Amino acid sequence: MRIVHLSDTHLAADRPDRAAALEACVDHIERLRPDAVVHTGDIAHNGRAEEYRTARTLLDRLSMPYFVLPGNRDDRRNLARAFADGRHIRPDMPFVQYAVEDFPARLIVVDSVNAGMSKGRLCAERLDGIRRMLAADPSRPACLFLHHPPFEVAVGPYPRHFDPWTDAGALSAELQRHDHVAGIFCGHVHRAFETTLGGVSANVVSCLADDLRWDRPDTAQRGLPVIGVHTLSPDVPAAA
């Protein structure tokens, strides 16, 4: 199974270049033909309904399933209304969290947004939801997708992206109770980074919006969209 991971498109009406970057990314993904695509947040820069309409129009061109979650720049309610599908996302969801059960690996989508704040938050309700989703089917690998990295990022000026940091510790402790967690995939820091958390592969993809990116990945140097492409074996995902 192949998953394309993108993040931080930051669409805004006054930055048409970012929509053009997403459009080019969609065309590139179509050529890659993955099984699924996951966008890990900061879809919009200002959280406006029209920004999500643009995002949905472009992402709907994908011929494979795609899944979204909010970042700190997103408006959770506007995002949920724009991407409501009656199955995974509903307009009335308190948090945009859900499990995708359609593939050999389960995709666990997590809402780490703390409204009005840059850093992430995982309240007791969300942690309980993660716990229940992970416990629902331990027979298959589970991959976790969220905006804020729940681990220290050793590039850039701010290594910790949760406030309080104990939320990240609580999530880490929960993940270590489940030996079928196969990967953790995040955005937010606008830099690429790889590490492990409790022996689990953890990846941060850089920002798709070129003007906001802090690093310059090889793909960008070659004029290609900055995305993550991950091949999931029945056991453990490996970055392609």
Side-chain angles (χ1 to χ4, degrees), residues 72-179:
N72 55 283
R73 297 290 308 197
D74 288 310
D75 181 288
R76 186 185 283 121
R77 296 280 67 78
N78 283 343
L79 182 153
R81 281 191 287 266
F83 289 96
D85 59 2
R87 184 183 180 197
H88 297 109
I89 299 179
R90 304 182 312 276
D92 61 344
M93 296 174 83
F95 304 108
V96 183
Q97 291 199 163
Y98 53 93
V100 180
E101 307 283 2
D102 305 335
F103 305 104
R106 300 172 68 237
L107 313 183
I108 307 296
V109 176
V110 172
D111 183 335
S112 61
V113 172
N114 188 14
M117 305 295 291
S118 176
K119 291 191 176 183
R121 182 85 173 90
L122 286 174
C123 59
E125 182 178 354
R126 279 178 279 184
L127 284 167
D128 184 61
I130 295 165
R131 184 178 302 113
R132 287 186 281 106
M133 287 189 288
L134 287 171
D137 185 0
S139 68
R140 285 188 289 162
C143 295
L144 203 76
F145 295 86
L146 67 165
H147 185 66
H148 299 86
F151 44 83
E152 291 196 0
V153 177
V155 293
Y158 307 109
R160 295 184 173 185
H161 296 278
F162 274 83
D163 186 16
W165 185 243
T166 51
D167 285 7
L171 177 59
S172 177
E174 182 59 40
L175 295 178
Q176 290 180 54
R177 295 187 185 101
H178 302 274
D179 59 9

Side-chain angles (χ1 to χ4, degrees), residues 1 104-106 138-144 178-185 199-201 231-238:
M1 177 183 175
R106 300 172 68 237
S139 68
R140 285 188 289 162
C143 295
L144 203 76
H178 302 274
D179 59 9
H180 61 295
V181 177
I184 304 165
F185 304 93
V200 176
S201 172
T231 301
L232 309 186
S233 74
D235 300 310
V236 181

